[in-house]
Amino acid sequence: MRRLRFNGTGSGINGCPSVHEDLDTEEVIVHGPPLTDPTDLAQLRHFSPGETAIVVLRALLVDFGPKEVIRVPRIIDLDAFNRLFTQFDRTAWRLESRTRYASDEETDTYRQFTRGGRVDWSGADPEWCAERRAQHALGKRFERVRVVDDPPTTGQLYLLDNARRNSAVGEDIRNLRRRDADRLGLPNEDFWLFDSRLVALLRFGQDDRLTDVELITEPATVLRYAQVRDAATHYAVPYETFAAEVSSAR
């Protein structure tokens, strides 16, 4: 049974609408008149079956909603992270800022690359490629900006070659030099931004392996990551252009 605390009501007559707070989970419970007009309900985004929309005055939340919150990171495992790539609606954008990804070095394509031969991407990760094509066919956009050092690391050069595969399945791949990323004040982080409303912050261990993912939905923080996306996308160049520049400099 929940331990609920009554925070207050916006009505001095019938006590509706009102705000309660769960003392154990820090969840907030609001009750009030339901929103029932089908035209109004049709305008709600991410409104799932079984949910009920209610109407409250803004002042109720300002007066009686919690003002101080101790935020606990919401961590998901890699299976839940992978499901995000079929659950978003429109756009998935990635910043890659690391110098090395250990998982890349375990692939046949990486071994082909380091031996100096042309990488055969045709049979690489067919399930991933099929999923990307399917989502792209639904009108969804996948975009990445990859930060590259000067000179590029072996892992970064491998990903520059890998861009041919990603582009073929519908991703827009761009590159940005590290000095430009630093000038723009971009964070030294790896993250996905889904639909400009959900950030999946990728967390790596000391061995450069992805361990888990932190989900961020707090609007002000999501906006900061959206601003990072806008700056990085504006100054990054298509991977073909960047690859030509790297080749001419070697």
Side-chain angles (χ1 to χ4, degrees), residues 128-144:
W128 181 90
C129 291
E131 180 183 279
R132 279 292 193 275
R133 289 191 179 98
Q135 295 299 306
H136 182 70
L138 294 174
K140 300 181 183 183
R141 298 205 317 269
F142 293 87
E143 302 172 352
R144 301 182 195 236

Side-chain angles (χ1 to χ4, degrees), residues 58-93:
R58 179 186 294 269
L60 177 74
L61 301 181
V62 172
D63 291 342
F64 301 112
K67 301 301 187 296
E68 297 181 1
V69 178
I70 299 175
R71 298 194 179 278
V72 178
R74 181 184 174 191
I75 307 301
I76 61 173
D77 61 24
L78 300 187
D79 288 337
F81 170 59
N82 288 332
R83 288 193 291 271
L84 294 177
F85 292 93
T86 57
Q87 294 172 343
F88 76 99
D89 294 325
R90 300 176 304 280
T91 60
W93 187 92

Side-chain angles (χ1 to χ4, degrees), residues 107-121:
T107 63
D108 288 337
T109 51
Y110 189 88
R111 286 186 283 272
Q112 292 174 32
F113 179 79
T114 54
R115 286 198 298 263
R118 181 174 174 81
V119 178
D120 179 12
W121 294 104

Side-chain angles (χ1 to χ4, degrees), residues 103-239:
S103 59
D104 288 343
E105 299 172 7
E106 299 172 350
T107 63
D108 288 337
T109 51
Y110 189 88
R111 286 186 283 272
Q112 292 174 32
F113 179 79
T114 54
R115 286 198 298 263
R118 181 174 174 81
V119 178
D120 179 12
W121 294 104
S122 60
D125 209 344
E127 292 183 1
W128 181 90
C129 291
E131 180 183 279
R132 279 292 193 275
R133 289 191 179 98
Q135 295 299 306
H136 182 70
L138 294 174
K140 300 181 183 183
R141 298 205 317 269
F142 293 87
E143 302 172 352
R144 301 182 195 236
V145 169
R146 289 169 166 163
V147 178
V148 181
D149 290 278
D150 188 15
T153 67
T154 301
Q156 291 168 348
L157 290 172
Y158 167 77
L159 288 176
L160 190 57
D161 194 275
N162 159 272
R164 294 189 290 116
R165 188 275 304 265
N166 285 35
S167 179
V169 299
E171 291 197 352
D172 181 300
I173 309 296
R174 296 172 181 266
N175 290 93
L176 183 68
R177 294 191 181 276
R178 179 80 64 186
R179 62 174 178 267
D180 293 324
D182 292 342
R183 175 177 57 83
L184 294 169
L186 301 187
N188 189 28
E189 296 176 328
D190 275 43
F191 67 90
W192 281 94
L193 175 62
F194 295 96
D195 294 330
S196 297
R197 68 178 185 86
L198 171 67
V199 174
L201 182 62
L202 279 57
R203 309 201 313 179
F204 292 81
Q206 294 293 329
D207 59 355
D208 294 310
R209 295 181 185 277
L210 180 62
T211 56
D212 53 35
V213 176
E214 178 182 351
L215 293 187
I216 301 172
T217 57
E218 196 277 319
T221 305
V222 172
L223 175 60
R224 179 172 65 83
Y225 281 102
Q227 292 170 336
V228 169
R229 174 201 58 197
D230 292 347
T233 301
H234 181 77
Y235 287 98
V237 300
Y239 81 90

